[in-house]
Amino acid sequence: MLKIALGQMDVIPGRPDLNTKKMLDMIHQARTQQADIIVFPEMAIPGYLIGDMWEQQSFIRDCEAFGQDIIAAAAGICVIFGNVAVDWEKRGDDGRPRKYNACFVAQNGKLVPDHRFPYPFRIKTLHPNYREFDDTRHFYSLRKLALDLKQDTESLLLPVTIKVSGKEYHLGCIICEDGWNDDYTVDPIAALAANGPVDLYINISSSPFTLGKNNKRNRVFSSQARDTATPLIYVNTVGGQNNGKTVYTFDGFSTVYNCAGEIITYCPPFREKLEYIELDPENGGLNHIPVAAADDNNISSMYQAISYGINKFLSTINMKKVVIGASGGIDSAVSAALYAKILGPENVLLVNMPSKYNSQTTKDLAAQLAANLRCLYTVIPIQEAVDLTISQISQTAVVCPANKKTHHLNITPFITENIQARDRSSRLLAGIAATFGGGFTCNANKSELTVGYSTLYGDQAGFLATLADLWKHQVYQLAGYLNSCIYEEEVIPQATIDIVPSAELSPDQAVDEGKGDPIIYPYHDYLFRSFIEYWHKATPEDILTWYQEGSLEEKLGCEAGIVSRLFPSPKEFITDLERWWNLYAGMGLAKRIQSPPVLAVSRRAYGFDHREAQNGSYYTRAYNNLKAKILSTC
Amino acid sequence: MLKIALGQMDVIPGRPDLNTKKMLDMIHQARTQQADIIVFPEMAIPGYLIGDMWEQQSFIRDCEAFGQDIIAAAAGICVIFGNVAVDWEKRGDDGRPRKYNACFVAQNGKLVPDHRFPYPFRIKTLHPNYREFDDTRHFYSLRKLALDLKQDTESLLLPVTIKVSGKEYHLGCIICEDGWNDDYTVDPIAALAANGPVDLYINISSSPFTLGKNNKRNRVFSSQARDTATPLIYVNTVGGQNNGKTVYTFDGFSTVYNCAGEIITYCPPFREKLEYIELDPENGGLNHIPVAAADDNNISSMYQAISYGINKFLSTINMKKVVIGASGGIDSAVSAALYAKILGPENVLLVNMPSKYNSQTTKDLAAQLAANLRCLYTVIPIQEAVDLTISQISQTAVVCPANKKTHHLNITPFITENIQARDRSSRLLAGIAATFGGGFTCNANKSELTVGYSTLYGDQAGFLATLADLWKHQVYQLAGYLNSCIYEEEVIPQATIDIVPSAELSPDQAVDEGKGDPIIYPYHDYLFRSFIEYWHKATPEDILTWYQEGSLEEKLGCEAGIVSRLFPSPKEFITDLERWWNLYAGMGLAKRIQSPPVLAVSRRAYGFDHREAQNGSYYTRAYNNLKAKILSTC
């Protein structure tokens, strides 16, 4: 019988000092509880998303030294933990000292050796290099080591043998992606099994949250346990980490599967927890009653991730107060409800900044929102400043030194719209936030961000783009959830939910006349989603092919009949498609480059997760041919 | 004798249609000139830096189809070119259809096959994953293929045999990084030689410019030719490509080395060129008179790269006019001189935006600059708007709904400084640029960007951060070069060069009193450089160690004696060090996340080249110990 502690810790990225301290505390607790083994996540000491800090030699030496502290603390208990391992004698592909993403197994104050392997630690075999991951940039994989040693990778995947109460146990230690081998030509679990026996698999991870990912993980890991008839322990970190442009949450959800693949215990998501399980490898953990896994593909999970992510990011940047531009619309209302819950309404200042285009309706809704949430509130009109800007720009003479001639600049209505948006954010909110002692939020959603339907240095500014990984329809869902399940009252006024979404920057966007955004969310949300979130990213060629086949609505997942209702002819359909595609690859992208960090919840978020080059839009030859064919026949 | 055409083409990233058209033109020209072989760069068809467009299946199908056009055009000439190669039956590590970064050799309308290799094209062996490179994210390397085939990588590096005028030639085709194998455990050139004979090495590249990189390349490639006693042809692309946050130039500099490692011809940098060389592999190209390589580690090269980069980026985003906030200071003056040369002064509008803190001195200098450059010019004061902002923020009551109490927000002098900066950029320049039909530039330099000594949505805003990869002392060098070598007259007023650098945002920054920036450039430029550009990035631990050893000035490359002059005591030294380190990892980083694209010239530029997580500053245990020791003994 093994008593195992799952150290689902909140790893602070780039803080080996704090992480080591926490690990020492947890080791002490686990020892007190007479645990035989304690398992910490991947990269528990340095953290995982730390950018190019890996190139600081002093930092990696520091991680090594803290790792020694943990090894020394492994007395009377076996400690399994993730850290960077450095081979100072060898070089990585970048020529720097070679670093491994490693799993350390320590007992009796030292690492458990294995004479069949060149190092006294285990090395990550599979390196993720998709989405936000950059493993190969920094670490040398077991696959590369195998190549150098002229051995099969599989032959290097050896179980670690520890002795507990005089009995030997063979542990199959893998790291995160090693358990997600579907797409790779190496299967670490199978290799370990072949080199076994293995009494217990241990997967230490640093796996960011994505909506629905834990459901999938349970399917994948559960079948690994079942197929090998061996229990599997998964320990993941909690906390917040980021890659600059994109902010991730880590949900933990550390889980123990018995040898039948059933879940016998798991840690709650998004919460630091030292969980214990008594596991007898001889009966494969079958003596425990299986528990049902929590579903993580629902609005509650999305709310939890966003709320947790905001919380963690605020502590990372040490921010305790925020200012929110409250327009009376849905995005700022959801933002306000989220932050008020996290920081307390007394630390959230809502600012309504009307111009002459803002309706009484939305002004009242902003005030109502503040009252409902009990947030601090003020109104600062922008019309005077906007008028001053317009007159300064249009009335000042521009002089040409070549001929001494002067001329004036002409301001169009479109330019006036952007002047208003920038006036609000850059002139007022930034200054107000500084006086208030906090930051101001960016309330842009993913639909807007996709096509740049927002103003740079205007409503696209802020310290964090909280909702920028939610399509507009998800923002509405979240609004409903906040009212019904979090606040359990209508804090976000129903009229804010019901009103037409509008920027109210011109007479063409008058909400009381039912006029609003050019984005038709029930269709465009789904169209845009296909550009970024689809496994094979959709392009106009795919869209037009599906349109012609009549499968578009099904492929996009939008409501049936909407396409023909919106676009009576193929020409109108194509014009709309090209308009948004050009914006997606054009101004939308240019604006995203300068957007605030995006809080990620989806399978593909903007920023470091979805990497983009500013090259303009492109239409394939097949698209152009199909388009010509369709237009010629209609 | 082989007549070889070097197709140093301007590859447009993400535009297979345009690139293919250009290649077909060049093939036609080369055939007319009776060339036997034409060589195009790596990824000549798709371009290289295209972000995650590689996940668009329609795009890679399109690249394949255009590749077929090139293969079909290989009649009467052998065509060697780079393109993506797709194995639709196999998967890459991300589970998508497997993509190779490949070199195609086509003759007689088809690819030259090799029964010893699984594909009719050659595969890149070494994948760069440092700096801006992401090869492993998208492509499957020859090393991975070798692992899968359970073969040595070396055994798969086989020369390609072509027949010209009845005679066989064995070509050692490699791709870019394959020629930079110093840090890898595989040496593609040596492997090809071992599997030879090889008559000629051909390295097709897509290698971004870095100051001094071509000098190094000549050393490396020249020794490869010499060591193997075989001529080597290097063909690189020209043009501009970007990764969103960072903009790169490609200098071409395609070069031919004879078997003694001497350069026998090269294409001019930064210029599209179809160059011919007659090479007899039998005499190893020794019949040509060697030429001297152009040095690329000097101010002229830096100017060329920046000027070319601006030009290319402007065409990418189709921008023909720019607005520049002209303060009378050095950064905006250099920016103005650069853009006026590129776009013509009639397309450059300089705007001076004085507040009450701006001196007559700098106002006059801004006007003088405009007159010297013959740019369009205007003056728009900001004091009225700034006063309005301050009064609106400080005089509007904030209401607390909980107790109905009201309070006011308090504006500090520091906040007023930022209000001015944002007023200039977000309120005025952005609006003026829109009316002028262009964008406005960001003139921030690398020293400012490092520590966030600039205002977000203020002077850190713009469509391109043109100077953001230059330390302040390099901006001065560039100013001198522009005056003396480009304009050959004092377009940037000498007083702008001589005056103390200052933001002029408060009485503490009065230039006429000699007051200016808190950054002491002759020291901090070099300190900051060590944080980002050093191969092993320096941290306070390294800096303090060097300080204590007395080797700091030498290690940083700054002037001798400056450290003790600036910091009489270790305490002052440490305070200064920690101040800037905290800003570098704190507000500086937060601002960089939202900065405009950075035009890269150095060995490490901000953005995608130097990846950062917003985790706050960290001091290693060794630093803290050393600091305590130093402070206790002084």
Side-chain angles (χ1 to χ4, degrees):
Chain A
M1 180 69 78
L2 292 173
K3 183 167 182 178
I4 302 171
L6 315 187
Q8 177 169 300
M9 62 183 283
D10 183 348
V11 174
I12 315 289
R15 292 306 299 265
D17 53 345
L18 304 180
N19 294 327
T20 301
K21 186 172 179 306
K22 181 167 294 163
M23 289 163 76
L24 292 173
D25 286 350
M26 282 187 165
I27 291 169
H28 177 74
Q29 280 180 59
R31 196 189 290 111
T32 310
Q33 296 294 317
Q34 294 173 313
D36 300 304
I37 302 176
I38 182 166
V39 185
F40 292 107
E42 178 185 16
M43 288 293 178
I45 290 180
Y48 187 41
L49 303 184
I50 60 170
D52 290 346
M53 269 181 90
W54 298 115
E55 294 175 24
Q56 299 171 354
Q57 288 210 10
S58 64
F59 177 75
I60 56 174
R61 278 197 308 267
D62 194 62
C63 294
E64 275 191 313
F66 280 112
Q68 289 301 328
D69 292 1
I70 299 297
I71 294 164
I77 187 166
C78 172
V79 181
I80 300 177
F81 66 101
N83 193 10
V84 60
V86 192
D87 185 336
W88 296 94
E89 304 301 315
K90 290 213 165 63
R91 288 195 285 181
D93 282 350
D94 64 355
R96 296 186 178 85
R98 187 183 293 176
K99 296 176 284 296
Y100 298 104
N101 182 335
C103 176
F104 291 81
V105 181
Q107 227 182 358
N108 306 317
K110 56 182 197 291
L111 293 176
V112 178
D114 190 326
H115 67 276
R116 299 165 300 171
F117 195 71
Y119 298 107
F121 46 79
R122 275 70 216 165
I123 297 170
K124 192 171 182 177
T125 305
L126 305 179
H127 279 183
N129 285 291
Y130 47 82
R131 292 200 58 188
E132 69 274 25
F133 300 109
D134 259 353
D135 274 35
T136 298
R137 182 174 177 90
H138 306 294
F139 308 114
Y140 211 74
S141 70
L142 190 68
R143 288 205 277 178
K144 280 190 187 150
L145 182 65
L147 259 183
D148 296 347
L149 298 174
K150 310 228 179 265
Q151 282 190 255
D152 275 353
T153 309
E154 286 80 358
S155 69
L156 294 170
L157 281 154
L158 302 163
V160 184
T161 302
I162 62 167
K163 207 177 252 188
V164 175
S165 312
K167 195 169 163 0
E168 283 195 342
Y169 294 94
H170 309 288
L171 310 179
C173 296
I174 57 172
I175 305 177
C176 206
E177 188 81 351
D178 293 341
W180 297 85
N181 65 290
D182 269 7
D183 297 325
Y184 297 87
T185 49
V186 179
D187 180 345
I189 293 261
L192 281 162
N195 297 327
V198 174
D199 297 309
L200 178 63
Y201 288 101
I202 294 175
N203 182 326
I204 61 168
S205 286
S206 183
S207 185
F209 170 83
T210 290
L211 209 54
K213 186 174 173 185
N214 198 54
N215 293 352
K216 181 169 179 199
R217 182 189 296 121
N218 281 328
R219 289 195 299 275
V220 171
F221 288 13
S222 155
S223 83
Q224 284 167 0
R226 198 171 51 241
D227 293 350
T228 57
T230 309
L232 187 154
I233 292 184
Y234 163 74
V235 176
N236 187 24
T237 180
V238 292
Q241 304 196 29
N242 71 82
N243 263 321
K245 288 301 273 186
T246 318
V247 177
Y248 292 90
T249 59
F250 290 73
D251 56 349
F253 249 138
S254 302
T255 302
V256 182
Y257 307 84
N258 68 18
C259 66
E262 294 157 327
I263 293 172
I264 53 177
T265 192
Y266 66 85
C267 298
F270 301 113
R271 191 141 65 78
E272 190 160 86
K273 186 81 195 289
L274 186 55
E275 179 78 34
Y276 298 91
I277 180 111
E278 299 205 350
L279 194 71
D280 186 355
E282 290 200 1
N283 68 27
L286 290 176
N287 55 322
H288 289 269
I289 299 163
V291 295
D295 174 33
D296 78 331
N297 194 8
N298 52 37
I299 180 77
S300 147
S301 196
M302 185 173 88
Y303 167 75
Q304 219 177 346
I306 289 174
S307 167
Y308 187 75
I310 293 171
N311 219 322
K312 287 289 157 187
F313 191 70
L314 289 171
S315 25
T316 298
I317 61 171
N318 197 25
M319 191 178 284
K320 295 180 178 65
K321 291 175 165 199
V322 300
V323 173
I324 301 177
S327 65
I330 187 78
D331 301 313
S332 55
V334 167
S335 196
L338 286 167
Y339 281 91
K341 192 48 116 185
I342 291 162
L343 291 170
E346 68 282 9
N347 294 309
V348 177
L349 168 57
L350 304 189
V351 187
N352 184 248
M353 296 164 288
S355 76
K356 63 186 174 189
Y357 300 119
N358 289 85
S359 61
Q360 196 57 47
T361 308
T362 55
K363 286 190 269 195
D364 290 347
L365 285 171
Q368 187 59 50
L369 175 76
N372 293 352
L373 290 170
R374 305 177 74 78
C375 288
L376 301 177
Y377 186 66
T378 193
V379 178
I380 307 188
I382 62 164
Q383 199 59 50
E384 183 182 349
V386 168
D387 290 342
L388 174 63
T389 303
I390 291 170
S391 78
Q392 278 195 290
I393 294 177
S394 57
Q395 287 170 22
T396 310
V398 170
V399 184
C400 172
N403 55 16
K404 305 286 172 209
K405 283 194 181 153
T406 65
H407 72 281
H408 287 82
L409 298 167
N410 178 36
I411 296 194
T412 65
F414 177 69
I415 294 172
T416 305
E417 291 184 29
N418 286 316
I419 286 175
Q420 292 170 73
R422 285 189 298 266
D423 203 83
R424 290 193 175 105
S425 296
S426 287
R427 191 179 68 84
L428 289 177
L429 289 181
I432 295 168
T435 59
F436 189 58
F440 69 100
T441 65
C442 170
N443 310 323
N445 59 56
K446 196 169 189 173
S447 316
E448 292 168 345
L449 211 64
T450 300
V451 291
Y453 186 66
S454 56
T455 302
L456 202 55
Y457 322 133
D459 49 324
Q460 206 180 284
F463 75 94
L464 177 68
T466 319
L467 307 177
D469 200 25
L470 301 184
W471 301 104
K472 189 81 171 186
H473 67 272
Q474 293 178 302
V475 176
Y476 282 104
Q477 281 167 16
L478 190 53
Y481 183 79
L482 282 160
N483 279 356
S484 59
C485 300
I486 301 303
Y487 284 93
E488 297 181 330
E489 57 174 314
E490 191 190 300
V491 291
I492 298 172
Q494 189 59 40
T496 287
I497 296 170
D498 294 339
I499 208 170
V500 59
S502 170
E504 292 193 291
L505 295 168
S506 79
D508 295 335
Q509 300 166 0
V511 287
D512 289 336
E513 298 166 34
K515 296 173 182 169
D517 294 348
I519 306 176
I520 302 154
Y521 299 103
Y523 167 64
H524 289 125
D525 265 7
Y526 301 87
L527 176 70
F528 300 168
R529 188 176 67 178
S530 78
F531 297 166
I532 164 170
E533 290 186 13
Y534 276 23
W535 182 246
H536 299 300
K537 291 182 192 289
T539 69
E541 180 184 325
D542 304 300
I543 303 295
L544 199 57
T545 305
W546 296 335
Y547 173 78
Q548 197 203 22
E549 286 172 1
S551 65
L552 181 63
E553 288 153 356
E554 187 198 335
K555 294 279 188 187
L556 296 184
C558 61
E559 61 178 273
I562 192 169
V563 170
S564 58
R565 202 164 67 244
L566 292 175
F567 312 108
S569 75
K571 189 165 183 299
E572 284 156 297
F573 176 81
I574 287 170
T575 302
D576 179 83
L577 174 62
E578 294 189 354
R579 169 190 183 184
W580 297 112
W581 180 251
N582 290 341
L583 284 166
Y584 168 62
M587 276 312 291
L589 201 169
K591 291 177 185 177
R592 285 193 291 278
I593 291 172
Q594 300 192 43
S595 77
V598 169
L599 178 56
V601 292
S602 80
R603 58 160 72 183
R604 209 68 187 267
Y606 284 115
F608 201 69
D609 189 342
H610 167 74
R611 306 186 187 173
E612 303 177 281
Q614 199 175 166
N615 292 333
S617 59
Y618 178 64
Y619 296 89
T620 60
R621 184 154 58 177
Y623 171 80
N624 287 319
N625 291 342
L626 181 58
K627 174 182 163 186
K629 193 178 133 205
I630 289 175
L631 292 182
S632 72
T633 57
C634 68
Chain B
M1 181 69 77
L2 291 173
K3 182 166 183 180
I4 302 171
L6 316 186
Q8 176 169 299
M9 63 183 282
D10 183 348
V11 174
I12 314 290
R15 293 303 302 263
D17 53 345
L18 303 180
N19 295 327
T20 301
K21 187 173 178 306
K22 179 167 293 163
M23 290 163 76
L24 292 173
D25 286 350
M26 283 187 166
I27 291 169
H28 176 73
Q29 280 180 58
R31 197 189 290 110
T32 310
Q33 296 294 317
Q34 294 173 313
D36 301 303
I37 302 177
I38 181 165
V39 185
F40 293 107
E42 179 185 16
M43 288 293 178
I45 291 180
Y48 187 41
L49 304 184
I50 60 170
D52 290 346
M53 268 182 90
W54 298 114
E55 294 175 24
Q56 298 171 353
Q57 288 210 9
S58 64
F59 176 75
I60 55 175
R61 277 197 309 267
D62 194 61
C63 294
E64 276 191 314
F66 280 112
Q68 289 301 327
D69 290 2
I70 299 297
I71 293 165
I77 187 166
C78 171
V79 181
I80 301 178
F81 67 100
N83 193 10
V84 60
V86 192
D87 185 336
W88 297 92
E89 304 301 315
K90 291 212 165 62
R91 287 195 287 181
D93 281 351
D94 64 355
R96 297 187 177 84
R98 187 182 294 175
K99 295 175 284 296
Y100 298 104
N101 182 335
C103 175
F104 291 81
V105 180
Q107 229 184 355
N108 305 318
K110 54 183 198 291
L111 293 176
V112 178
D114 190 327
H115 67 276
R116 301 166 299 172
F117 195 70
Y119 298 106
F121 46 78
R122 276 69 217 164
I123 297 171
K124 193 170 181 177
T125 305
L126 305 178
H127 278 182
N129 284 290
Y130 47 83
R131 291 199 59 187
E132 69 274 25
F133 299 110
D134 259 352
D135 273 35
T136 298
R137 181 174 178 89
H138 306 294
F139 308 113
Y140 211 75
S141 71
L142 190 68
R143 288 205 277 178
K144 280 190 186 150
L145 183 65
L147 259 183
D148 296 347
L149 298 174
K150 309 228 179 268
Q151 280 190 256
D152 276 353
T153 310
E154 286 80 358
S155 69
L156 293 170
L157 281 154
L158 302 163
V160 184
T161 303
I162 60 167
K163 208 176 252 186
V164 175
S165 313
K167 195 169 163 358
E168 283 196 341
Y169 294 93
H170 309 288
L171 310 179
C173 296
I174 58 172
I175 304 177
C176 205
E177 188 80 353
D178 293 341
W180 297 85
N181 65 290
D182 268 7
D183 297 326
Y184 296 87
T185 48
V186 179
D187 180 343
I189 292 262
L192 280 163
N195 297 328
V198 174
D199 298 308
L200 178 62
Y201 287 101
I202 294 175
N203 182 326
I204 61 168
S205 286
S206 182
S207 186
F209 170 83
T210 290
L211 209 53
K213 185 175 174 185
N214 199 53
N215 292 352
K216 183 171 180 199
R217 182 190 296 122
N218 280 329
R219 289 195 299 275
V220 172
F221 287 12
S222 153
S223 83
Q224 284 167 0
R226 198 170 52 241
D227 293 350
T228 56
T230 309
L232 187 154
I233 292 185
Y234 164 75
V235 176
N236 187 24
T237 179
V238 291
Q241 304 196 28
N242 71 81
N243 263 321
K245 288 302 272 186
T246 319
V247 176
Y248 292 90
T249 58
F250 291 73
D251 55 349
F253 249 139
S254 303
T255 302
V256 182
Y257 307 85
N258 68 18
C259 66
E262 295 157 328
I263 294 171
I264 51 178
T265 191
Y266 66 85
C267 298
F270 301 114
R271 191 142 64 80
E272 190 161 84
K273 185 83 195 288
L274 186 55
E275 179 78 35
Y276 297 91
I277 179 109
E278 298 204 351
L279 193 72
D280 186 356
E282 290 199 1
N283 68 27
L286 289 175
N287 55 321
H288 289 271
I289 298 162
V291 296
D295 174 32
D296 77 331
N297 194 8
N298 53 36
I299 181 77
S300 145
S301 195
M302 185 173 87
Y303 167 75
Q304 218 178 347
I306 290 175
S307 167
Y308 186 76
I310 294 171
N311 219 322
K312 287 290 157 187
F313 191 69
L314 290 171
S315 26
T316 298
I317 61 172
N318 196 25
M319 190 177 283
K320 295 179 178 65
K321 292 175 163 199
V322 300
V323 174
I324 300 177
S327 65
I330 187 78
D331 300 312
S332 55
V334 167
S335 196
L338 286 167
Y339 282 90
K341 193 46 118 186
I342 292 162
L343 291 170
E346 68 281 11
N347 294 309
V348 177
L349 168 57
L350 304 189
V351 187
N352 184 249
M353 295 165 288
S355 76
K356 63 186 177 191
Y357 299 119
N358 289 85
S359 61
Q360 196 57 47
T361 308
T362 53
K363 286 190 271 196
D364 290 346
L365 285 171
Q368 187 59 50
L369 175 75
N372 293 353
L373 290 171
R374 307 178 72 77
C375 288
L376 301 177
Y377 186 65
T378 192
V379 178
I380 307 188
I382 62 164
Q383 199 59 51
E384 183 183 349
V386 168
D387 290 343
L388 173 63
T389 303
I390 291 170
S391 79
Q392 277 195 292
I393 294 177
S394 57
Q395 287 170 21
T396 310
V398 170
V399 184
C400 172
N403 55 16
K404 305 287 172 209
K405 283 194 180 155
T406 64
H407 72 281
H408 287 83
L409 298 168
N410 177 37
I411 295 194
T412 64
F414 177 70
I415 293 172
T416 305
E417 291 184 29
N418 286 316
I419 285 174
Q420 293 170 72
R422 286 189 298 266
D423 203 84
R424 290 195 175 104
S425 296
S426 285
R427 191 179 68 84
L428 289 178
L429 289 181
I432 295 168
T435 59
F436 189 58
F440 69 100
T441 65
C442 170
N443 310 323
N445 58 56
K446 196 169 189 173
S447 316
E448 293 169 344
L449 211 64
T450 300
V451 292
Y453 186 65
S454 56
T455 302
L456 202 55
Y457 321 133
D459 49 323
Q460 206 181 284
F463 76 94
L464 176 68
T466 319
L467 307 176
D469 200 25
L470 301 185
W471 301 104
K472 189 79 170 185
H473 67 272
Q474 293 177 301
V475 177
Y476 282 105
Q477 281 168 15
L478 190 53
Y481 183 79
L482 282 159
N483 278 356
S484 60
C485 301
I486 301 303
Y487 284 93
E488 298 180 328
E489 57 174 316
E490 191 189 300
V491 289
I492 298 172
Q494 189 58 40
T496 288
I497 296 170
D498 294 338
I499 209 169
V500 58
S502 171
E504 292 193 293
L505 295 168
S506 79
D508 294 336
Q509 299 165 1
V511 287
D512 290 335
E513 298 166 33
K515 296 173 183 171
D517 294 348
I519 305 176
I520 302 154
Y521 299 103
Y523 168 63
H524 289 124
D525 265 6
Y526 300 87
L527 176 70
F528 299 168
R529 187 175 67 177
S530 76
F531 296 165
I532 165 170
E533 290 185 14
Y534 277 22
W535 182 246
H536 299 299
K537 291 180 192 290
T539 71
E541 181 184 325
D542 304 300
I543 302 295
L544 200 56
T545 305
W546 296 335
Y547 174 77
Q548 195 202 25
E549 287 172 1
S551 64
L552 181 63
E553 288 153 356
E554 185 198 339
K555 294 278 188 187
L556 296 184
C558 61
E559 61 177 272
I562 192 171
V563 171
S564 59
R565 201 163 68 242
L566 292 176
F567 313 107
S569 75
K571 188 164 183 300
E572 285 156 296
F573 176 81
I574 287 170
T575 303
D576 179 83
L577 175 61
E578 293 190 355
R579 170 190 183 185
W580 298 113
W581 180 252
N582 290 341
L583 284 167
Y584 168 62
M587 276 313 290
L589 202 170
K591 291 176 185 177
R592 285 193 290 278
I593 291 172
Q594 300 191 43
S595 76
V598 169
L599 178 56
V601 291
S602 80
R603 57 161 72 183
R604 208 70 187 266
Y606 283 114
F608 202 69
D609 189 342
H610 166 75
R611 305 184 188 175
E612 303 178 281
Q614 199 174 165
N615 292 334
S617 59
Y618 178 65
Y619 296 89
T620 60
R621 184 152 60 177
Y623 171 81
N624 287 319
N625 292 342
L626 182 58
K627 174 183 163 185
K629 194 178 133 204
I630 289 174
L631 292 181
S632 72
T633 57
C634 69

